[in-house]
Amino acid sequence: LSVKRYTKVDAGYLMVLRQNDDLFEELQNFARTEKIPSANFTGMGFVDITFGFFNFETKKYEPKDFKSVELVSMHGTIAWKNDSTSIHAHGVVADKTFQAFGGHILKGKVGTGSAEILITVHDKKFQRKKDESIGADVLSLD
């Protein structure tokens, strides 16, 4: 039995993900299926997540995992890099002691419960391009 993952709403699309759904995989599948030029999204839910802190010396993310935490807030963009979707997201999670942690999201899966994501679609196709001066991809408005 396949569970519907998203529906069209006035503001764009509302996505509801279930336990073990991969956040980025579902957003990428959605963008390809609906032929989304680009979009912003916000979300919340219950997740296992990996944040990364970008080390400007090594030009790599230093990862840290958080299990069974509430996704208090997530914000991000859907763009394109060459012919592939490119997701960039940051978030804040809280544990059962109400301590918060946040950063750049490297990956995440829905934990027990669900995650709700509102996707606002743009009429322009934005590309993510490498900015050599910082060694990272940047959303290009050209």
Side-chain angles (χ1 to χ4, degrees), residues 101-120:
F101 304 92
H104 175 92
I105 300 172
L106 295 175
K107 63 182 179 177
K109 276 195 189 265
V110 179
T112 54
S114 65
E116 301 170 8
I117 302 171
L118 178 64
I119 304 163
T120 306

Side-chain angles (χ1 to χ4, degrees), residues 1 4 17-18 21 36 38 43-45 51 57 63 84 98 115 117 127 130 134:
L1 178 70
K4 187 175 182 178
L17 302 180
R18 304 294 179 115
D21 282 346
I36 300 300
S38 61
M44 61 184 180
F51 288 125
E57 290 176 17
S84 297
F98 301 100
I117 302 171
Q127 296 283 333
K130 180 78 120 197
I134 59 173

Side-chain angles (χ1 to χ4, degrees), residues 3-76:
V3 177
K4 187 175 182 178
R5 295 289 193 266
Y6 61 86
T7 189
K8 185 104 175 75
V9 294
D10 285 347
Y13 290 85
L14 180 61
M15 178 178 278
V16 178
L17 302 180
R18 304 294 179 115
Q19 190 170 5
N20 295 320
D21 282 346
D22 182 292
L23 296 174
F24 287 2
E25 193 175 292
E26 294 294 337
L27 285 166
Q28 288 168 333
N29 290 342
F30 159 79
R32 283 190 299 270
T33 301
E34 297 299 325
K35 298 177 177 45
I36 300 300
S38 61
N40 279 69
F41 58 86
T42 60
M44 61 184 180
F46 202 73
V47 296
D48 293 330
I49 201 161
T50 303
F51 288 125
F53 191 82
F54 193 72
N55 181 325
F56 283 96
E57 290 176 17
T58 64
K59 308 292 189 220
K60 291 189 168 118
Y61 283 99
E62 297 170 0
K64 184 160 176 131
D65 295 326
F66 297 88
K67 303 286 184 203
S68 298
V69 289
E70 288 277 356
L71 181 59
V72 177
S73 179
M74 175 177 66
H75 301 273

Side-chain angles (χ1 to χ4, degrees), residues 37-39 120-126:
S38 61
T120 306
V121 179
H122 304 305
D123 61 351
K124 295 179 179 147
K125 185 173 185 174
F126 292 114

